[in-house]
Amino acid sequence: MRIDKYLKVSRILKRRTVSKELALHQRIEVNGKSVKPSYDVKPGDCITIIFGQRQMTVKVLETSNFSKKADAPMMYEVLEEKWLEENCCE
């Protein structure tokens, strides 16, 4: 399954277009490497996403083309979630 679709189906991100844009701007890494929106996600992959001031790392447990809202959290395991500091000069 494509990474942009996986992030939408698993409800990590709300829209597929958002995940596609993040991947195009190199804000999504799989196993430490930046990936394109067409990257094929496999169980066991570690995905790091930077959106806004938040960084989230998840481990893929399963991939399915459809999931109910209640079942979506079973598709991944959150390994780390942190807020990034703003780089601002005053």
Side-chain angles (χ1 to χ4, degrees):
M1 172 185 296
R2 291 172 54 112
I3 192 160
D4 56 348
K5 185 174 181 182
Y6 176 80
L7 293 172
K8 194 255 185 233
V9 170
S10 64
R11 290 176 170 77
I12 293 172
L13 295 172
K14 289 186 179 186
R15 294 189 178 93
R16 188 170 175 177
T17 54
V18 172
S19 55
K20 184 177 178 181
E21 287 294 319
L22 288 175
L24 289 173
H25 290 97
Q26 298 179 349
R27 296 179 69 81
I28 298 178
E29 294 181 352
V30 178
N31 301 325
K33 296 181 181 179
S34 287
V35 295
K36 294 183 179 181
S38 61
Y39 177 83
D40 189 34
V41 177
K42 300 170 282 308
D45 284 344
C46 288
I47 303 172
T48 301
I49 310 156
I50 299 172
F51 46 106
Q53 295 299 317
R54 186 171 152 202
Q55 179 178 333
M56 182 179 203
T57 304
V58 298
K59 181 178 181 181
V60 178
L61 299 178
E62 68 175 80
T63 59
S64 62
N65 289 326
F66 177 79
S67 72
K68 294 182 180 181
K69 186 175 184 178
D71 297 336
M74 290 185 241
M75 294 179 68
Y76 62 92
E77 172 187 355
V78 177
L79 300 176
E80 181 182 24
E81 190 171 1
K82 64 182 178 180
W83 293 94
L84 303 174
E85 293 182 20
E86 237 179 275
N87 293 334
C88 170
C89 299
E90 293 185 25

